[in-house]
Amino acid sequence: MSESTNEPQLSFEQLNLRPELLQALQARGITSPSPIQAESIPHVLKGKDLIAQSQTGSGKTLAYLLPILQRLDPADKGLQAVVIAPTRELGMQILSEAEHYGDPLGIRSQALIGGAALSRQVEKLRLHPHLIVGTPGRVLELIKARKVKMHEVRTIVADEADQLISLGMIEDVKQILKSALRDRQLLFFSATITPEVQRIADRWMNEPVGVAMRPEQRTAGTIEHLYVRCDERDKLETLRRAFHALKPKAALVFVNEIEPIAELVAKLEFGAIPTAALYGDAPKQERTKVLSRFREGKVRLLVATDIAARGLDIKGITHVFHLDPASDADHYVHRVGRTGRMGEHGVSVAIITEREAFILRKFEEQLGIRIEPRSLAAGKLLELGHAKSGGRRAEPPAQPGTAASARGPVKEAALDTSAPAGKAKRTVKTSAAATPAASLRKPAKPGASPAATGGDTAPPRSSERPRERERARERDKKNKGAPKWLKAKQQQPQQAQPKQEQPNQEQPKGSDKT
Ligand code: AMP
């Protein structure tokens, strides 16, 4: 792979973009290329294969869309470019950009996203799009059905290539690549260039150019990385106080398990913070509703798991909180990438226990960043040493009966220090009862007990011991605030293996919803 040289930053005009594209950029108020755009556009225009390390918020979509659109021939009715994305949300965002910049050039774009009506998509294909944006399963399905013809496709993009791999979609992507001509241009955009991304690039690309960010550029330089230390049981109260101290316009809070989310939302709302949950697994309308309330400012804090927040491109998220630490540096990069976008200032605040501190130290080393300690005092987030309390402990002990003292399962939770560095996780004790969370929890470790796996093979409740029944009652109580669709899942009989939450992703092949 040849490395791209860091040439001095060029303007869009100097990148030789067509006047129609320059005007469309102007209409969006975009005046100068971001680093990833300045680096990638010349290579893509030359038809080179490219592997670019870039995350959402770096301007990666236009880094490939602008040169691709410029190279398409509107007079040719054939399909000429395919963009593959792991989630429907990201797919729809890419489509809306493709339409905005493609319209003035006479380029027709279409989405082929899983979960949306197949018949309508097939119908629309009769209009002969020049570019399609799709999720891998749906695109492949339509290639196999001979509704999408690949023989004229000149460029294929795998956006968020690392996610396509980690979400198990890469086999479909390979099939799509196989169906195209051998000399097509292939572009990978990925927040992290994992060995697997590199291996696939080596196998499928022809002398690719690498556009890599230096480690310190993996998180935007405009992001302030902070942490507040407290006891596990004080985490929620610390979050509430940090929120009131920082007064974010719009913030995300990340948790590692979906199980406690409903209860968290209820408690934060009680703490005078307009809060909602972003469930990756929620029906599409539900997600859209939550996101539009967030965009309108009616909700100021969204509680989400990493998967639920994947690919979110919401302008104006000023703060990201971590109520559970990210599982590794890559997840940390994805989380903080929701803020500090395109040069805006963003703040990341990790709320950690003493035992979790080593995880942040690792992120500092791996990402070349500094995560600064802060403490809360007198309604402010202060640099250590400025707090009157002065000590290491950032928080006063929670009063019995306050929200902080009753974070439910979290209160009981123990940090699993047996996990490898950077992978420490809160283990929430689960009962054998099949709960929505149980069905959506992380895949079970081989050899884990039924209780730990979420209970597929667990005995029925009648044979449970009183302690387990008590825990099941606790869980039911906790799920009281959960949305209806999530509760409905609870009623459904459990199927096969407990599955990791599948985010705003495409539906299984052949589904024809809505
Ligand atoms: P992306 O990284 O593609 O998800 O882009 C993030 C956001 O930045 C999108 O809303 C883009 O419209 C916007 N954007 C893209 N390129 C630029 C640029 N050069 N200057 C300012 N904003 C940009």
Side-chain angles (χ1 to χ4, degrees):
M1 180 168 83
S2 62
E3 283 292 322
S4 159
T5 49
N6 285 317
E7 285 155 13
Q9 179 119 351
L10 302 171
S11 67
F12 281 120
E13 286 82 355
Q14 287 168 319
L15 290 169
N16 294 323
L17 291 179
R18 288 175 49 171
E20 295 91 332
L21 292 175
L22 297 177
Q23 269 171 22
L25 282 163
Q26 240 172 21
R28 284 270 162 97
I30 297 180
T31 49
S32 59
S34 68
I36 191 79
Q37 292 163 354
E39 290 262 336
S40 306
I41 289 173
H43 299 298
V44 183
L45 279 177
K46 280 189 210 144
K48 297 250 183 218
D49 285 359
L50 181 96
I51 171 164
Q53 189 197 337
S54 60
Q55 63 208 73
T56 312
S58 61
K60 69 177 164 76
T61 314
L62 295 185
Y64 62 79
L65 267 186
L66 296 174
I68 288 178
L69 290 169
Q70 171 139 326
R71 275 161 53 85
L72 297 187
D73 177 4
D76 183 344
K77 276 177 137 190
L79 175 65
Q80 297 164 52
V82 175
V83 180
I84 303 164
T87 62
R88 59 178 181 236
E89 227 147 44
L90 180 62
M92 293 316 290
Q93 279 159 20
I94 299 167
L95 179 77
S96 116
E97 299 283 77
E99 286 176 339
H100 174 78
Y101 294 95
D103 278 354
L105 298 169
I107 302 295
R108 287 182 299 278
S109 302
Q110 186 186 334
L112 295 180
I113 309 273
L118 184 68
S119 49
R120 238 179 283 160
Q121 291 177 354
V122 171
E123 184 66 27
K124 231 182 140 198
L125 281 169
R126 298 213 175 105
L127 298 174
H128 299 288
H130 300 107
L131 179 146
I132 58 174
V133 182
T135 44
R138 178 56 61 90
V139 172
L140 184 60
E141 187 182 356
L142 287 165
I143 291 173
K144 284 183 175 162
R146 296 180 193 283
K147 303 288 181 201
V148 167
K149 310 229 165 45
M150 297 293 285
H151 60 277
E152 280 191 45
V153 170
R154 284 196 276 157
T155 305
I156 300 178
V157 184
D159 198 342
E160 297 200 347
D162 52 348
Q163 301 306 329
L164 287 166
I165 293 169
S166 69
L167 294 169
M169 298 168 164
I170 201 65
E171 287 312 314
D172 286 352
V173 175
K174 288 181 190 166
Q175 294 283 323
I176 295 168
L177 294 176
K178 269 189 199 155
S179 72
L181 297 174
R182 284 175 75 106
D183 63 349
R184 80 279 165 286
Q185 179 183 32
L186 180 57
L187 312 175
F188 275 9
F189 282 76
S190 192
T192 52
I193 308 296
T194 59
E196 183 66 356
V197 172
Q198 189 63 57
R199 209 180 54 73
I200 295 169
D202 291 343
R203 157 75 181 80
W204 293 92
M205 287 185 177
N206 180 24
E207 294 183 13
V209 177
V211 173
M213 286 187 272
R214 290 187 295 278
E216 66 270 25
Q217 287 179 321
R218 283 188 54 198
T219 62
T222 51
I223 298 173
E224 212 178 330
H225 302 270
L226 309 174
Y227 73 87
V228 178
R229 200 143 63 176
C230 67
D231 287 347
E232 180 67 49
R233 62 185 182 152
D234 296 333
K235 276 195 169 186
L236 182 72
E237 176 61 5
T238 304
L239 169 65
R240 191 191 66 75
R241 291 178 59 195
F243 186 95
H244 287 303
L246 293 165
K247 301 184 183 47
K249 264 206 209 128
L252 277 178
V253 53
F254 281 96
V255 292
N256 290 346
E257 305 280 346
I258 61 169
E259 193 178 272
I261 288 182
E263 193 191 21
L264 279 177
V265 171
K267 287 180 173 168
L268 289 163
E269 289 239 288
F270 187 72
I273 301 175
T275 311
L278 187 69
Y279 291 99
D281 213 37
K284 201 170 146 194
Q285 311 89 294
E286 197 70 33
R287 259 183 87 85
T288 312
K289 212 163 81 188
V290 169
L291 289 175
S292 48
R293 287 178 61 221
F294 187 57
R295 284 196 177 95
E296 288 159 12
K298 289 181 184 148
V299 161
R300 283 175 58 208
L301 183 63
L302 266 190
V303 185
T305 57
D306 295 83
I307 287 178
R310 195 138 282 162
L312 267 191
D313 177 20
I314 299 185
K315 287 206 176 72
I317 294 181
T318 52
H319 294 71
V320 166
F321 295 97
H322 314 250
L323 203 56
D324 294 313
S327 57
D328 54 31
D330 291 345
H331 281 86
Y332 187 82
V333 168
H334 278 285
R335 285 181 177 191
V336 302
R338 307 302 112 202
T339 183
R341 298 163 77 80
M342 296 311 311
E344 282 171 17
H345 181 239
V347 181
S348 158
V349 185
I351 296 168
I352 56 153
T353 62
E354 195 165 342
R355 295 175 77 185
E356 289 165 338
F358 78 99
I359 301 173
L360 298 191
R361 297 288 84 78
K362 267 207 108 62
F363 297 166
E364 287 187 320
E365 270 169 40
Q366 290 166 347
L367 301 171
I369 55 172
R370 176 110 174 83
I371 309 177
E372 306 268 353
R374 289 289 183 272
S375 66
L376 276 157
K380 293 206 170 85
L381 199 62
L382 301 170
E383 282 178 32
L384 279 196
H386 289 155
K388 276 189 198 127
S389 56
R392 213 163 35 103
R393 187 190 170 88
E395 293 299 293
Q399 295 305 306
T402 63
S405 67
R407 205 183 146 201
V410 172
K411 206 174 86 181
E412 292 183 15
L415 190 72
D416 179 2
T417 46
S418 62
K423 294 266 179 205
K425 67 178 171 56
R426 174 179 295 137
T427 50
V428 179
K429 292 172 191 164
T430 58
S431 79
T435 68
S439 68
L440 297 165
R441 294 270 302 261
K442 293 173 188 159
K445 284 187 199 143
S449 71
T453 62
D456 265 0
T457 52
R461 273 189 189 191
S462 57
S463 65
E464 285 167 13
R465 280 173 304 201
R467 229 174 113 214
E468 285 163 343
R469 271 208 302 276
E470 176 55 32
R471 285 195 207 127
R473 258 202 303 277
E474 262 296 304
R475 179 195 300 282
D476 287 347
K477 215 168 77 193
K478 216 165 51 208
N479 277 318
K480 247 184 172 170
K484 272 195 211 129
W485 63 267
L486 187 55
K487 281 187 192 154
K489 266 181 187 263
Q490 189 177 2
Q491 315 298 327
Q492 286 166 12
Q494 289 275 288
Q495 287 169 5
Q497 277 291 91
K499 218 174 153 221
Q500 193 170 7
E501 185 188 20
Q502 291 301 297
N504 56 354
Q505 241 171 271
E506 59 185 336
Q507 299 294 318
K509 285 171 202 168
S511 69
D512 198 359
K513 288 209 304 189
T514 4

